[in-house]
Amino acid sequence: MTAKAIQFTVDGIAVAATAGQSLIEACDDAGIYIPRLCHHPDLTPSGNCRVCTCTVNGRQSAACVTPAAHGMVVENDTPRLTDDRRTIIEMLFVEGIHPCPYCVASGDCELQALGYRLGMTAPTEAYLWPRRKLDATHPDITLDHDRCILCSRCIRASRMEDGKTVFGFEGRGIAMRLNVDAQGGLGETQMAAIDKAASVCPVACIVIKRDSYRVPNGERRFDKAPIGSDIEARRRPSGSGGHRS
Amino acid sequence: MTEIQASLGARKIVIDPVTRVEGHGKVTIRLNEAGEVEQARFHIVEFRGFERFIQGRMFDEVPVIVQRLCGICPVSHHLCAGKAMDVVAGVDQVTPTADKMRRLMHYGQVLQSNALNFFHLASPDLLLGFDAPVATRNIVGVIEAFPEVGKWGIFIRKFGQQVIAATGGRRIHPRLCVPGGVNQNLTVDHRDALRKDIGQIIAWCGLALELHKSFVHAHQELHATFASFPSSYMSLVGADKRMELYDGTLRALHADGSTIFEDVKAADYRDYMIEEVRSWSYMKFPHIRSLGRDNGWYRVGPLAQVNACAFIDTPLAEAARKDFMALGHGGLVHATLGYHWARMIVMIHCAEVIERLLYDDDLQGTDLVVTGKRRPEGVAVIEAPRGTLLHHYTVDDNGQVTSANLIVSTTNNNEAMNRSVTKVAKDYLTGREITEGLLNHVEVAIRAYDPCLSCATHALGDMPLIVTLEDADGAIVATRVKE
């Protein structure tokens, strides 16, 4: 198939994709934002947060692990999908501890930004109040397990980009936790502040020490524009980026 | 008002909640069978817990976390914790830009908070009368009766909040301090906007002071005696004992004006002060170690700030200070209602300092943060609107907080507020039919201190709420425990 030979629609908008692109990649190129948390453009997709779930030909499918296919009909921005995504975000909020008012990532946090974008006003589920420890053993990095949303970005970055195996999951289901490959904590691993794994965390689980609060209110990433605005800015009213059919 | 009829003819009067103060507190007054006041206590019934739940957090998070203690004085906690974390970060001197940005924010905070207390909370009592109808004894009633005064209050407070927003990104819970400095300078746009209004703010502060003085001159006996007693005072002072609200050394004076201690650095506070826990309040009772539990209590806040300093280095406030100190005939001023006059002097001083800073080019500097070698402990003191505020932290090698102790302004005034409540109760309630207006006298005494009850109770532990009903002999009639 030639470049951009794959044609499909998302909420009635015509989108062109190249072979091998996922649905979320094609939509990013077309300037259509599909909410996501575990997906990162530099990392192999894992499909484990399910926030990017769309309706593809009438079936629910995670956009980050769904190959773009010719002729498929995709629903993305619908009230039901927004409700589903908001519910996922609400569950993530209560499963960990996410004190936005004073969190170091506030204003730069993708979970918080999605909460705003999806209209979350307050969690509807009961707080689980986990009692996890903050690992500050590394001289340059803190690992705050209370903030972890199990997106696996750090695991994938450490293995595929950094060539290390610093992070991994332990346990299953509700007991699943992020762990490091040293009993003495992150400080005993090969982790370095310049690692890719140190820069891909969507929340405040992995934070570079001494950088906290250096960006003033009003200047933080999501103070200026809602999450996804950068992707939506790529879309033009007409042209190759996509148009309503 | 709730009135409980106990056995044996004794009565316990409960004012719950005390209104027009920051937070939730209550007063209990125990009357004997003859209707005489036996005991009066000011209870703080809020509970916060910050000293405990910041343990384990990273030290650079603390200035942002602890300011959530309160929505009225977050800036004071933010800056005090910021100063303490400078020490932890190994920084003894921040850059001129950082120092002046913090000062600008602080003086904006003290200005707006003092305006809130005087205009919104206290002026209904002073302008409309202690026993004016309760339906109109509020800021709306003041605006209706004295539109200009209401305008001054609203716009002075608004200006102070704009200073906070210009320095910290928002009016409540701003973010400016990072260990060793600040995260931004003052933009020229913000500076110019504030310069445009500061002259009017200073003028309004002066007019408000003159208005208050006319109240004092019309009620000289009341002003001198209401809820009043001689006491010691403690405040920060700067070089040459000038008024200093942001950074200085502690000075404490006996009631006769003689020195208890001075030139005390924040880090040495435990050599001079000690805290006591009493079973009936969540608030601790700090006192001066050398004077002991019974005599070591003192007052802080605007009255102490004015009493403890030798002079004020801004002209209008200094003139106002000299005028005020004449009330003491060469000694200290002990009038509890004098807190309001002193508060106006501090407001004028804040406005003058803000004006001075707005013409200082250091605020547009770009050297914001310095670094140092980490230390395991940090202590800092600041003069918050309600008085001396102390933060003390210990931090482990990883940078995690291992302990925290906060002695907040309202806590320092704990004993004094209880004494004022008792004095007013005995002076005004004994042998009289208890009316709402008379009970408001008790609240007037509390409002003079401008207590912030959210800030004052921040300890965590097993502290069940116990309500005890006592008869005239102090015997327990009934007890309820809420775990």
Side-chain angles (χ1 to χ4, degrees), chain A residues 101 144 147 209 213 216-217, chain B residues 57 68 170 175 183 398:
Chain A
D144 191 345
R147 311 284 189 263
K209 286 183 176 178
Y213 310 110
N217 283 1
Chain B
R57 300 307 310 174
R68 293 281 165 174
R170 55 189 174 203
R175 294 180 181 185
N183 62 14
N398 292 331

Side-chain angles (χ1 to χ4, degrees), chain A residues 100-104 106 131 134-138 142 144 146-147 209-217 220, chain B residues 52-53 56-58 60-61 64-65 68 168-170 173-175 177-179 183-184 369 371 398-400:
Chain A
C100 294
Y102 56 77
C103 179
V104 295
S106 189
R131 296 176 72 88
L134 186 153
D135 179 352
T137 55
H138 195 285
T142 57
D144 191 345
D146 279 343
R147 311 284 189 263
K209 286 183 176 178
R210 295 175 289 277
D211 282 354
S212 302
Y213 310 110
R214 291 294 176 95
V215 181
N217 283 1
R220 301 168 302 182
Chain B
R52 176 63 185 85
F53 64 63
R57 300 307 310 174
M58 297 303 296
D60 50 5
E61 291 181 281
V64 178
I65 295 177
R68 293 281 165 174
R170 55 189 174 203
H173 300 127
R175 294 180 181 185
C177 283
V178 295
N183 62 14
Q184 64 181 325
V369 181
T371 56
N398 292 331
Q400 291 176 276

Side-chain angles (χ1 to χ4, degrees), chain A residues 29 31 51 56 87 90 97 148 154 170 179-180 201 216-217 228 237 245:
Chain A
D29 284 351
V51 171
V56 180
T87 299
E90 288 171 353
I97 296 178
C148 182
C154 56
E170 65 174 18
N179 209 341
V180 297
C201 181
N217 283 1
S245 60

Side-chain angles (χ1 to χ4, degrees), chain B residues 68 288 368:
Chain B
R68 293 281 165 174
I288 293 170
L368 302 181

Side-chain angles (χ1 to χ4, degrees), chain B residues 79-101:
Chain B
L79 294 175
C80 197
K83 286 172 53 180
M85 293 315 171
D86 290 343
V87 179
V88 170
V91 175
D92 294 321
Q93 181 64 54
V94 298
T95 67
T97 300
D99 180 71
K100 288 169 185 174
M101 282 295 288

